[in-house]
């Protein structure tokens, strides 16, 4: 609640402060030194769309520097209770898929490793002790139970939950006594009692009265792990990070971080807290509202290039007029990133949260699909890919297996792709239920049918049998079907529904002529002739 109103104050300040909007571009100093940025995920969940966007903006920022720089991955796993197994591999894998390749990080190496915080515990211990020895940190023996009671009392009094700094003034003998009793303790940072601020590249001056609002924060836990705050700033300092670009949700913590830098006598990096990506209902993107993990889109058949474009579309400073950004021939993520890095400018990054619409991602992907389908080399890859999906889903009984050679099979798939390319978002759409008829013969229960309907279908068969295979086009087929239907004195709607049903097992769907073009002459005739097994006379199907 408080967090929200605090953020709101900052936002209001931003909206009203025109001078700030004009000036903020001058607060980025990156040309002076070798830029080093990091993406520092905690392995508590698979890579989220929002996480990928943070990684992307860091990557683009460093790649857009004339003087060069490094993009580092650091795994922040100090909260051991929240680690999800397999997440680190997943994170690295998804980033690699998206073309975001780190210069340093776990499994890659670098001069500032190790890059996994749980492998750096001795370092944090040393720095925590340094603060303790200097009297800037102190031992706190408050038990979880005491803190819980404190929180409850504050809640009852309708006060903000805050640590009351009780252990700050323990005497030497009190501390000794507790240590002798083997009482566990944490280290807390003694905060100065004044309102602190820092200059954020995007958001201007950010103030937060952390001392009176939160009380002294824990920096080192009783399990000999540092908290996020200590580990984060020690690593940013030792890894020579020059710019921290991270989500706005960390903005409150930054005031604490700046105080820690002061305590060590170090110069903090420059901070840019990125606006959030929100769902269409204005809430933070979360898995409750649908797919938010990069892996889900990857497995669903989305191209990395589409996801990169989708993320760049929201608040990253690329204009709509620049249109979709992809490489000249094949939309590889590396090419997309190269093009983006040339256009990227931190000064253009927005300050307002963005409401994202996943239909935009679909639009990008279908544009990329069409782009790929216009390239000879990528068509062959897509034919192969689709063939693999078909085999996986329909097994050996799919109709490709009835064809005598690979050339025929590929021609068939190529036809499907070219006829349906404007109607799909991902390649896998072509194996969704709606497209089952393309790959397997539908099973159609025998029904009773009027004799004139039966004749009509068989006349269509004769027309198709006579037609030259090369003549299979919508333009040729549609008028002939209409002609036959008119001569049979049948109503158009039931006649077409019957043909569609026999061909696809569906009463609604693409135009009959299109289905025939996809299936080809032989397969279409075979399906239509099934009508001969129907019983004559009854009007049931004619009413469809
Ligand atoms: N470990 C934090 C996270 O999981 C990163 C915070 C930061 O970038 O400083 O999001």
């Amino acid at each position: 609640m408080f967090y929200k109103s605090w953020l709101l104050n900052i936002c209001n300040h931003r909206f009203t402060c025109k001078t700030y909007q004009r000036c903020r571009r001058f607060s980025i100093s990156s040309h002076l030194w070798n830029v080093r940025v990091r993406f520092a995920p905690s392995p508590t969940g698979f890579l989220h769309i929002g996480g990928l966007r943070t990684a992307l903006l860091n990557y683009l920022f460093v790649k857009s520097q004339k003087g060069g720089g490094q993009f580092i991955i650091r795994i922040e796993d100090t909260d051991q209770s929240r680690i999800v197994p397999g997440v680190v591999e997943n994170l690295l894998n998804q980033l690699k898929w998206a073309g975001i390749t780190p210069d340093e990080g776990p499994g890659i190496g670098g001069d500032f490793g190790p890059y996994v915080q749980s492998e750096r515990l001795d370092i944090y211990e040393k720095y925590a002790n340094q603060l303790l020895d200097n009297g800037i940190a102190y031992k706190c023996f408050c038990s979880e139970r005491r803190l819980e009671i404190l929180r409850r009392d504050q809640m009852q009094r309708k006060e903000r939950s805050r640590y009351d700094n009780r252990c700050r003034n323990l005497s030497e003998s009190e501390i000794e006594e507790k240590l002798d009793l083997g009482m566990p303790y944490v280290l807390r940072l003694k905060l100065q009692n004044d309102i602190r601020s820092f200059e954020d590249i995007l958001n201007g001056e950010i103030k937060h009265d952390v001392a009176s609002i939160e009380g002294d924060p824990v920096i080192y836990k009783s399990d000999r792990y540092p908290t996020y705050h200590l580990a984060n700033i020690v690593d940013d300092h030792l890894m020579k990070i020059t710019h921290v670009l991270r989500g706005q949700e960390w903005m409150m913590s930054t005031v604490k971080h700046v105080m820690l830098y002061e305590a060590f006598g170090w110069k903090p990096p420059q901070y840019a807290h990125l606006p959030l990506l929100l769902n269409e209902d204005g809430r933070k993107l979360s898995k409750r509202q649908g797919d938010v993990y990069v892996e889900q889109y990857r497995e669903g058949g989305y191209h990395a290039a589409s996801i990169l474009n989708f993320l760049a579309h929201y608040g990253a400073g690329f204009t709509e007029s620049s249109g979709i950004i992809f490489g000249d021939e094949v939309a590889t993520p590396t090419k997309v990133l190269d093009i983006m890095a040339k256009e990227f400018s931190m000064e253009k990054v927005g300050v307002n949260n963005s409401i994202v619409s996943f239909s935009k991602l679909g639009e990008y992907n279908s544009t990329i699909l069409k782009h790929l389908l216009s390239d000879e080399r990528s068509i062959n890859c897509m034919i192969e890919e689709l063939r693999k999906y078909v085999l996986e889903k329909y097994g050996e009984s799919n109709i490709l297996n009835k064809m005598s050679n690979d050339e025929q099979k590929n021609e068939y798939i190529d036809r499907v792709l070219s006829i349906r390319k404007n109607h799909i978002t991902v390649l896998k759409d072509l194996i969704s239920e709606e497209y089952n008829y393309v790959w397997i013969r539908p099973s159609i229960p025998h029904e009773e049918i009027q004799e004139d309907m039966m004749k009509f279908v068989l006349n269509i068969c004769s027309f198709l049998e006579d037609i030259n295979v090369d003549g299979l086009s919508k333009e040729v087929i549609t008028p002939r079907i209409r002609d036959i239907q008119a001569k049979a004195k049948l109503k158009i709607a039931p006649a077409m529904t019957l043909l569609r049903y026999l061909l696809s097992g569906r009463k609604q769907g693409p135009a009959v002529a299109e289905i025939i073009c996809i299936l080809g002459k032989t397969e279409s005739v075979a399906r239509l002739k099934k009508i001969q097994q129907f019983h004559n006379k009854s009007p049931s199907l004619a009413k469809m």
Side-chain angles (χ1 to χ4, degrees):
M1 185 63 192
F2 161 70
Y3 177 47
K4 267 200 197 138
S5 63
W6 182 80
L7 266 184
L8 216 70
N9 280 338
I10 292 164
C11 296
N12 289 342
H13 168 70
R14 256 194 270 130
F15 290 137
T16 51
C17 183
K18 294 240 167 57
T19 326
Y20 159 64
Q21 291 281 352
R22 260 182 274 122
C23 295
R24 73 179 171 95
R25 65 193 62 223
F26 300 111
S27 60
I28 312 163
S29 48
S30 56
H31 55 286
L32 302 175
W33 55 68
N34 179 48
V35 166
R36 288 176 59 82
V37 297
R38 85 299 192 276
F39 175 53
S42 297
T44 53
F46 293 100
L47 185 64
H48 192 273
I49 288 281
L52 181 62
R53 189 251 209 160
T54 303
L56 171 67
L57 295 187
N58 273 283
Y59 184 85
L60 293 179
F61 177 60
V62 85
K63 297 292 167 196
S64 66
Q65 298 303 313
K66 290 205 173 62
Q70 290 81 41
F71 171 72
I72 293 139
I73 303 275
R74 182 174 76 224
I75 303 296
E76 298 202 328
D77 59 348
T78 54
D79 189 351
Q80 292 279 305
S81 63
R82 294 181 58 223
I83 291 177
V84 176
V87 159
V88 175
E89 294 69 25
N90 179 275
L91 283 164
L92 299 174
N93 198 309
Q94 305 307 338
L95 286 178
K96 190 170 163 202
W97 172 73
I100 300 179
T101 45
D103 300 297
E104 297 166 30
I108 301 149
D111 293 342
F112 302 88
Y115 294 90
V116 177
Q117 290 189 329
S118 58
E119 293 168 21
R120 300 171 62 82
L121 297 183
D122 291 350
I123 301 176
Y124 309 125
E125 186 177 15
K126 178 182 134 196
Y127 285 103
N129 282 333
Q130 186 180 316
L131 293 181
L132 187 64
D133 295 345
N134 294 343
I136 298 169
Y138 62 90
K139 291 185 175 122
C140 166
F141 297 89
C142 291
S143 64
E144 261 314 310
R145 200 176 129 67
R146 170 172 194 264
L147 295 175
E148 184 49 45
I149 293 170
L150 182 66
R151 268 193 293 270
R152 232 182 296 146
D153 287 352
Q154 287 167 336
M155 246 165 73
Q156 262 168 15
R157 292 197 301 270
K158 299 204 174 4
E159 289 171 7
R160 283 189 192 114
S161 166
R162 169 187 186 275
Y163 178 58
D164 59 1
N165 299 350
R166 177 175 158 169
C167 292
R168 216 192 226 225
N169 301 315
L170 290 179
S171 66
E172 280 302 319
S173 61
E174 281 171 317
I175 295 173
E176 281 307 315
E177 199 180 303
K178 290 177 192 297
L179 289 175
D180 287 346
L181 288 170
M183 283 173 73
Y185 62 86
V186 299
L187 297 187
R188 287 185 186 266
L189 180 72
K190 249 182 230 173
L191 293 179
Q192 318 263 339
N193 269 336
D194 51 358
I195 301 176
R196 291 311 180 88
S197 68
F198 69 94
E199 187 70 24
D200 185 283
I201 294 171
L202 294 174
N203 302 284
E205 189 191 19
I206 302 299
K207 283 188 179 159
H208 181 40
D209 187 358
V210 59
S212 65
I213 291 169
E214 295 178 36
D216 293 340
V218 177
I219 53 167
Y220 198 73
K221 297 178 283 184
S222 53
D223 60 2
R224 295 195 62 241
Y225 273 80
T227 58
Y228 155 73
H229 306 296
L230 180 70
N232 189 270
I233 73 111
V234 165
D235 286 349
D236 281 347
H237 173 73
L238 295 180
M239 294 179 183
K240 298 198 186 315
I241 300 301
T242 58
H243 296 77
V244 170
L245 275 58
R246 61 184 172 197
Q248 236 174 45
E249 66 271 32
W250 299 106
M251 197 136 76
M252 276 227 279
S253 300
T254 305
V255 176
K256 253 176 270 177
H257 295 179
V258 170
M259 288 167 124
L260 270 166
Y261 276 102
E262 240 173 65
F264 283 114
W266 297 336
K267 182 177 182 292
Q270 289 196 56
Y271 290 98
H273 289 90
L274 305 165
L276 304 176
L277 296 181
L278 306 175
N279 261 308
E280 285 177 65
D281 64 2
R283 280 185 289 168
K284 222 183 131 181
L285 280 189
S286 85
K287 60 182 170 202
R288 256 170 281 130
Q289 287 120 354
D291 292 348
V292 286
Y293 296 114
V294 176
E295 193 176 21
Q296 289 169 309
Y297 289 97
R298 182 181 176 179
E299 282 179 358
Y302 284 83
H303 285 265
S306 325
I307 298 194
L308 293 173
N309 275 287
F310 169 70
L311 293 173
H313 178 77
Y314 294 105
F318 297 99
T319 55
E320 188 64 57
S321 62
S322 65
I324 189 162
I325 310 153
F326 47 70
D328 294 341
E329 291 162 2
V330 181
T332 63
T334 320
K335 279 192 184 170
V336 172
L337 289 168
D338 281 353
I339 298 168
M340 284 180 178
K342 284 197 188 92
E343 252 193 67
F344 182 81
S345 157
M346 196 62 199
E347 281 127 37
K348 289 195 252 159
V349 172
V351 290
N352 299 325
N353 294 339
S354 299
I355 294 199
V356 303
S357 158
F358 281 92
S359 59
K360 193 87 205 154
L361 177 58
E363 276 172 38
Y364 281 133
N365 208 67
S366 46
T367 309
I368 287 183
L369 263 185
K370 271 179 256 167
H371 176 70
L372 289 170
L373 284 168
S374 62
D375 179 278
E376 206 49 52
R377 283 164 308 163
S378 46
I379 291 181
N380 292 337
C381 296
M382 289 168 97
I383 290 178
E384 268 312 301
E385 199 178 331
L386 189 51
R387 211 167 136 173
K388 195 183 91 212
Y389 294 151
V390 170
L391 190 66
E392 270 166 23
K393 174 152 185 198
Y394 302 101
E396 301 295 336
S397 61
N398 74 75
I399 64 173
L400 296 176
N401 274 2
K402 295 195 181 76
M403 297 173 195
S404 50
N405 57 43
D406 275 356
E407 205 183 324
Q408 269 183 13
K409 292 178 196 191
N410 291 350
E411 251 175 50
Y412 184 84
I413 300 177
D414 193 16
R415 213 160 59 223
V416 176
L417 283 171
S418 79
I419 294 177
R420 295 306 293 172
K421 70 176 176 215
N422 293 329
H423 304 271
I424 54 171
T425 303
V426 290
L427 203 55
K428 278 190 177 170
D429 282 347
L430 290 172
I431 54 155
S432 63
E433 214 213 308
E434 185 188 338
Y435 285 95
N436 280 352
Y437 74 91
V438 174
W439 313 110
I440 43 170
R441 274 195 191 168
S443 64
I444 301 199
H446 300 169
E447 294 192 32
E448 296 195 340
I449 191 163
Q450 279 182 324
E451 197 163 343
D452 48 358
M453 278 292 208
M454 171 96 68
K455 269 196 189 145
F456 162 68
V457 173
L458 293 177
N459 281 341
I460 299 280
C461 289
S462 315
F463 146 64
L464 287 175
E465 277 165 337
D466 287 347
I467 208 170
N468 181 329
V469 177
D470 297 335
L472 273 191
S473 77
K474 260 172 44 170
E475 290 68 32
V476 172
I477 297 172
T478 311
R480 283 305 313 273
I481 294 180
R482 287 292 170 86
D483 212 29
I484 299 169
Q485 162 253 323
K487 281 198 183 114
K489 297 198 170 43
L490 291 171
K491 282 196 188 138
I492 180 143
M496 291 303 143
T497 307
L498 174 61
L499 291 179
R500 185 179 296 110
Y501 182 58
L502 290 165
L503 289 164
S504 69
R506 304 173 68 86
K507 293 183 181 170
Q508 269 143 17
V512 168
E514 189 175 299
I515 303 178
I516 293 173
C517 289
I518 288 179
L519 297 177
K521 170 173 144 167
T522 320
E523 182 64 22
S524 299
V525 170
R527 292 186 186 192
L528 292 173
K529 281 203 168 160
K530 283 257 174 113
I531 199 158
Q532 288 167 318
Q533 294 157 16
F534 283 28
H535 308 294
N536 267 339
K537 286 260 183 328
S538 165
S540 65
L541 267 174
K543 280 191 188 149
M544 279 193 304

